[in-house]
Amino acid sequence: MTPAPLSIPPALADTLARAVNVVVFTGAGVSAESGIATFRDALTGLWSRFDASALATPEAFAAQPDIVWGWYEWRRAQVDGTEPNAAHRAIAALAGHVPALTLITQNVDNLHERAGSSNVVHLHGSLHAPRCSRCARPAAFPADDAHAIAHEGRAIAPPACAHCGAPIRPGVVWFGESLPTDAWQAAQAAAEQCDLFLCIGTSALVYPAAQLPLHALRAGATVVQVNPAATSLDGQAHYNLRGAAAEVMPRLLEAAGF
């Protein structure tokens, strides 16, 4: 049986049309709709011998820097081979229709930026912002064929920092590490000051990021969840829109008259 088409509640459309300060909070589900593998997906090739969560740790980088760097280069190559989807584009467009919008993401890709969003708050860092593992200075990617090699799924030795010689590490937040202070403080402040909070494509399980919609609820904001499946936020959100973000977000903007 074909499911009934999604209907946007008129009250929600009106709330979005009247919103003054909007927060959009995105998770892996949004990027997955562009074809980017999530941590729950099985790894392939060389990486099939590893658990993704076991590679994403400082200990793994210290023990096997070539494996970890190669895996993150493979992930970056995968991102560069994909395009923003309709959800990314709708979110970028929404910023032009409301007085204020803060975009917070758990994703480490650059698809929001490539869709036209600016000043994105990256809670978990970025694949495109490597830094030194010792002195933490920002670093550039090597100007050789390592990125092309990464498409093949191979171990790659990380480049050395131009300042101190230590290995360059991916600019992401690993398990066991704290979120970037500036990003987390900006995200908390935005959640506590918004009147509409859109939680899109996230499982609502990864803390402390999963606290953000709860901050918004306590501050009196309307909270909307967009997700194909139920999450722990279902019972607290004012609206739960079931479906893929790339389908729901354009329809939500259309319903609001944008």
Side-chain angles (χ1 to χ4, degrees):
M1 180 181 295
T2 303
L6 174 71
S7 177
I8 303 297
L12 171 57
D14 184 64
T15 296
L16 177 56
R18 296 173 180 273
V20 174
N21 191 336
V22 177
V23 166
V24 177
F25 176 48
T26 65
V30 176
S31 292
E33 293 177 34
S34 285
I36 296 177
T38 72
F39 264 49
R40 294 180 180 85
D41 294 329
L43 299 181
T44 60
L46 169 65
W47 321 121
S48 63
R49 296 189 282 119
F50 301 93
D51 178 347
S53 60
L55 289 172
T57 67
E59 294 77 15
F61 186 70
Q64 295 181 298
D66 57 334
I67 293 291
V68 174
W69 181 260
W71 182 56
Y72 276 96
E73 280 293 85
W74 173 79
R75 293 185 65 195
R76 184 169 70 97
Q78 183 188 43
V79 169
D80 289 348
T82 61
E83 295 296 330
N85 60 55
H88 295 107
R89 294 191 294 272
I91 292 166
L94 178 58
H97 293 287
V98 296
L101 184 145
T102 302
L103 173 53
I104 306 165
T105 188
Q106 294 173 284
N107 299 331
V108 295
D109 56 63
N110 62 357
L111 293 181
H112 280 303
E113 288 87 346
R114 286 164 55 194
S117 293
S118 58
N119 301 319
V120 182
V121 179
H122 280 271
L123 284 184
H124 294 160
S126 171
L127 293 169
H128 298 78
R131 66 179 186 272
C132 178
S133 60
R134 180 187 297 155
C135 69
R137 284 185 171 90
F141 290 105
D144 55 23
D145 63 349
H147 193 36
I149 292 172
H151 279 286
E152 304 171 13
R154 291 167 52 182
I156 305 171
C161 174
H163 297 276
C164 71
I168 298 300
R169 58 160 286 174
V172 301
V173 177
W174 281 328
F175 290 107
E177 294 183 328
S178 299
L179 300 185
T181 301
D182 290 349
W184 178 238
Q185 290 178 345
Q188 284 185 301
E192 292 166 358
Q193 295 166 11
C194 70
D195 55 356
L196 178 63
F197 188 102
L198 300 172
C199 187
I200 309 171
T202 174
S203 64
L205 293 174
V206 180
Y207 282 82
Q211 296 173 354
L212 292 175
L214 306 182
H215 285 314
L217 282 167
R218 285 193 292 268
T222 298
V223 172
V224 181
Q225 180 177 221
V226 177
N227 212 45
T231 77
S232 60
L233 187 60
D234 275 37
Q236 296 165 290
H238 296 89
Y239 298 95
N240 289 293
L241 303 181
R242 285 282 176 268
E247 297 175 2
V248 175
M249 290 307 298
R251 295 194 62 178
L252 179 57
L253 267 65
E254 182 182 10
F258 297 155

